[in-house]
Short mmCIF file of all heavy atoms in Angstrom, two decimals:
data_model
loop_
_atom_site.label_atom_id
_atom_site.label_comp_id
_atom_site.label_asym_id
_atom_site.label_seq_id
_atom_site.Cartn_x
_atom_site.Cartn_y
_atom_site.Cartn_z
N ALA G 134 -9.62 -36.36 9.92
CA ALA G 134 -9.83 -36.12 11.40
C ALA G 134 -8.75 -35.39 12.12
O ALA G 134 -8.98 -34.66 13.08
CB ALA G 134 -10.10 -37.47 12.08
N THR G 135 -7.48 -35.56 11.64
CA THR G 135 -6.33 -35.03 12.34
C THR G 135 -5.79 -33.74 11.62
O THR G 135 -4.89 -33.15 12.24
CB THR G 135 -5.23 -36.06 12.44
OG1 THR G 135 -4.84 -36.48 11.09
CG2 THR G 135 -5.74 -37.31 13.20
N ASN G 136 -6.30 -33.41 10.46
CA ASN G 136 -5.74 -32.17 9.79
C ASN G 136 -6.77 -31.09 9.79
O ASN G 136 -8.00 -31.34 9.78
CB ASN G 136 -5.41 -32.60 8.33
CG ASN G 136 -4.08 -33.30 8.22
OD1 ASN G 136 -3.06 -32.65 7.87
ND2 ASN G 136 -4.01 -34.55 8.45
N PRO G 137 -6.27 -29.87 9.75
CA PRO G 137 -7.30 -28.75 9.66
C PRO G 137 -7.93 -28.69 8.30
O PRO G 137 -7.34 -29.13 7.27
CB PRO G 137 -6.32 -27.54 9.87
CG PRO G 137 -4.98 -27.93 9.42
CD PRO G 137 -4.92 -29.41 9.78
N MET G 138 -9.04 -28.06 8.23
CA MET G 138 -9.85 -27.97 6.93
C MET G 138 -9.66 -26.54 6.39
O MET G 138 -9.93 -26.28 5.21
CB MET G 138 -11.29 -28.27 7.13
CG MET G 138 -11.61 -29.73 7.34
SD MET G 138 -10.99 -30.78 6.08
CE MET G 138 -12.11 -30.31 4.75
N LEU G 139 -9.22 -25.58 7.23
CA LEU G 139 -9.05 -24.17 6.78
C LEU G 139 -7.73 -23.69 7.19
O LEU G 139 -7.12 -24.12 8.08
CB LEU G 139 -10.17 -23.31 7.49
CG LEU G 139 -11.61 -23.67 7.21
CD1 LEU G 139 -12.51 -22.78 8.11
CD2 LEU G 139 -12.02 -23.52 5.77
N ASP G 140 -7.28 -22.70 6.43
CA ASP G 140 -6.07 -21.94 6.86
C ASP G 140 -6.24 -20.47 6.58
O ASP G 140 -7.22 -20.03 6.02
CB ASP G 140 -4.80 -22.51 6.21
CG ASP G 140 -4.77 -22.39 4.70
OD1 ASP G 140 -5.51 -21.55 4.12
OD2 ASP G 140 -4.00 -23.16 4.04
N TYR G 141 -5.28 -19.65 7.10
CA TYR G 141 -5.35 -18.23 7.05
C TYR G 141 -4.28 -17.73 6.12
O TYR G 141 -3.08 -18.05 6.30
CB TYR G 141 -5.25 -17.60 8.41
CG TYR G 141 -4.95 -16.12 8.36
CD1 TYR G 141 -5.91 -15.19 7.91
CD2 TYR G 141 -3.75 -15.57 8.93
CE1 TYR G 141 -5.63 -13.88 7.86
CE2 TYR G 141 -3.46 -14.26 8.88
CZ TYR G 141 -4.42 -13.39 8.40
OH TYR G 141 -4.14 -12.02 8.38
N THR G 142 -4.63 -16.91 5.11
CA THR G 142 -3.70 -16.30 4.22
C THR G 142 -3.61 -14.77 4.52
O THR G 142 -4.57 -14.08 4.42
CB THR G 142 -4.08 -16.52 2.73
OG1 THR G 142 -4.24 -17.89 2.47
CG2 THR G 142 -3.14 -15.89 1.84
N PRO G 143 -2.41 -14.29 4.97
CA PRO G 143 -2.34 -12.89 5.33
C PRO G 143 -2.49 -11.93 4.07
O PRO G 143 -2.23 -12.35 3.00
CB PRO G 143 -0.96 -12.76 5.96
CG PRO G 143 -0.16 -13.95 5.46
CD PRO G 143 -1.19 -15.05 5.20
N PRO G 144 -2.89 -10.72 4.35
CA PRO G 144 -3.18 -9.81 3.23
C PRO G 144 -2.06 -9.46 2.29
O PRO G 144 -2.22 -9.16 1.11
CB PRO G 144 -3.70 -8.56 3.93
CG PRO G 144 -3.15 -8.65 5.31
CD PRO G 144 -3.12 -10.04 5.66
N GLU G 145 -0.82 -9.56 2.78
CA GLU G 145 0.35 -9.19 2.02
C GLU G 145 0.60 -10.20 0.87
O GLU G 145 1.35 -9.92 -0.11
CB GLU G 145 1.60 -9.06 2.79
CG GLU G 145 2.00 -10.27 3.62
CD GLU G 145 1.45 -10.26 5.06
OE1 GLU G 145 0.44 -9.56 5.30
OE2 GLU G 145 2.04 -10.99 5.90
N LEU G 146 -0.07 -11.38 0.93
CA LEU G 146 0.05 -12.40 -0.15
C LEU G 146 -1.05 -12.22 -1.19
O LEU G 146 -0.99 -12.99 -2.20
CB LEU G 146 0.09 -13.75 0.42
CG LEU G 146 1.19 -14.13 1.43
CD1 LEU G 146 1.06 -15.49 2.00
CD2 LEU G 146 2.61 -13.91 0.74
N ILE G 147 -2.01 -11.33 -0.96
CA ILE G 147 -3.19 -11.25 -1.82
C ILE G 147 -3.01 -10.05 -2.74
O ILE G 147 -2.84 -8.91 -2.24
CB ILE G 147 -4.47 -11.14 -0.99
CG1 ILE G 147 -4.63 -12.45 -0.11
CG2 ILE G 147 -5.71 -10.97 -1.88
CD1 ILE G 147 -5.73 -12.30 0.91
N THR G 148 -3.11 -10.26 -4.01
CA THR G 148 -2.97 -9.09 -4.93
C THR G 148 -4.15 -8.17 -4.95
O THR G 148 -4.05 -6.98 -4.73
CB THR G 148 -2.71 -9.65 -6.39
OG1 THR G 148 -1.60 -10.59 -6.40
CG2 THR G 148 -2.41 -8.50 -7.30
N LEU G 149 -5.35 -8.82 -5.17
CA LEU G 149 -6.57 -8.01 -5.19
C LEU G 149 -7.74 -8.94 -4.75
O LEU G 149 -7.63 -10.21 -4.77
CB LEU G 149 -6.93 -7.57 -6.60
CG LEU G 149 -6.12 -6.41 -7.17
CD1 LEU G 149 -6.39 -6.22 -8.63
CD2 LEU G 149 -6.27 -5.10 -6.42
N LEU G 150 -8.79 -8.30 -4.30
CA LEU G 150 -10.04 -9.03 -3.94
C LEU G 150 -11.11 -8.66 -4.97
O LEU G 150 -11.35 -7.49 -5.22
CB LEU G 150 -10.51 -8.66 -2.56
CG LEU G 150 -9.69 -9.11 -1.37
CD1 LEU G 150 -9.99 -8.29 -0.13
CD2 LEU G 150 -10.03 -10.57 -1.01
N PHE G 151 -11.80 -9.70 -5.46
CA PHE G 151 -12.94 -9.45 -6.34
C PHE G 151 -14.21 -9.67 -5.49
O PHE G 151 -14.43 -10.75 -5.04
CB PHE G 151 -12.97 -10.41 -7.51
CG PHE G 151 -11.71 -10.36 -8.40
CD1 PHE G 151 -11.37 -11.49 -9.17
CD2 PHE G 151 -10.95 -9.23 -8.48
CE1 PHE G 151 -10.26 -11.50 -9.98
CE2 PHE G 151 -9.81 -9.21 -9.29
CZ PHE G 151 -9.46 -10.31 -10.02
N THR G 152 -14.99 -8.58 -5.33
CA THR G 152 -16.20 -8.67 -4.48
C THR G 152 -17.35 -8.03 -5.26
O THR G 152 -17.19 -7.47 -6.26
CB THR G 152 -15.98 -7.91 -3.16
OG1 THR G 152 -16.13 -6.50 -3.38
CG2 THR G 152 -14.62 -8.20 -2.54
N ASP G 153 -18.52 -8.21 -4.67
CA ASP G 153 -19.72 -7.58 -5.31
C ASP G 153 -19.72 -6.07 -5.10
O ASP G 153 -20.44 -5.37 -5.82
CB ASP G 153 -20.99 -8.18 -4.68
CG ASP G 153 -20.96 -8.09 -3.17
OD1 ASP G 153 -20.19 -8.77 -2.51
OD2 ASP G 153 -21.83 -7.38 -2.61
N LEU G 154 -18.82 -5.54 -4.25
CA LEU G 154 -18.65 -4.10 -4.12
C LEU G 154 -17.63 -3.49 -5.04
O LEU G 154 -17.51 -2.30 -5.09
CB LEU G 154 -18.20 -3.83 -2.61
CG LEU G 154 -19.18 -4.32 -1.55
CD1 LEU G 154 -18.61 -4.03 -0.20
CD2 LEU G 154 -20.56 -3.74 -1.67
N GLY G 155 -16.98 -4.39 -5.76
CA GLY G 155 -15.98 -3.96 -6.75
C GLY G 155 -14.66 -4.67 -6.52
O GLY G 155 -14.52 -5.54 -5.63
N VAL G 156 -13.64 -4.23 -7.26
CA VAL G 156 -12.26 -4.80 -7.07
C VAL G 156 -11.58 -3.94 -6.06
O VAL G 156 -11.57 -2.69 -6.16
CB VAL G 156 -11.50 -4.76 -8.39
CG1 VAL G 156 -10.09 -5.32 -8.22
CG2 VAL G 156 -12.21 -5.63 -9.43
N MET G 157 -11.02 -4.60 -5.04
CA MET G 157 -10.43 -3.80 -3.94
C MET G 157 -9.07 -4.43 -3.49
O MET G 157 -8.90 -5.59 -3.74
CB MET G 157 -11.35 -3.63 -2.78
CG MET G 157 -11.74 -4.87 -2.12
SD MET G 157 -12.87 -4.58 -0.65
CE MET G 157 -14.29 -3.87 -1.39
N THR G 158 -8.29 -3.58 -2.87
CA THR G 158 -7.11 -4.12 -2.21
C THR G 158 -7.53 -4.71 -0.85
O THR G 158 -8.60 -4.31 -0.31
CB THR G 158 -6.02 -3.06 -2.00
OG1 THR G 158 -6.60 -2.03 -1.16
CG2 THR G 158 -5.65 -2.45 -3.35
N PRO G 159 -6.72 -5.55 -0.23
CA PRO G 159 -7.11 -6.12 1.03
C PRO G 159 -7.39 -5.00 2.12
O PRO G 159 -8.21 -5.21 2.99
CB PRO G 159 -5.84 -6.95 1.47
CG PRO G 159 -5.35 -7.38 0.16
CD PRO G 159 -5.50 -6.17 -0.81
N SER G 160 -6.69 -3.87 2.08
CA SER G 160 -6.90 -2.82 3.04
C SER G 160 -8.33 -2.23 3.01
O SER G 160 -8.74 -1.57 3.99
CB SER G 160 -5.84 -1.72 2.88
OG SER G 160 -5.97 -1.13 1.59
N GLY G 161 -9.02 -2.41 1.90
CA GLY G 161 -10.31 -1.86 1.82
C GLY G 161 -11.38 -2.61 2.56
O GLY G 161 -12.51 -2.05 2.80
#
């Protein structure tokens, strides 16, 4: 009840994104 369930991770900490559109960098 008193803690958040989600947090935000900024793009500089993410190496790559795997999506159905392909492998991309966060800037894509």
Side-chain angles (χ1 to χ4, degrees):
T135 61
N136 278 264
M138 291 300 293
L139 302 174
D140 61 23
Y141 166 65
T142 301
E145 59 267 23
L146 298 178
I147 300 170
T148 308
L149 289 171
L150 289 162
F151 301 155
T152 78
D153 52 293
L154 302 177
V156 179
M157 62 177 65
T158 61
S160 61

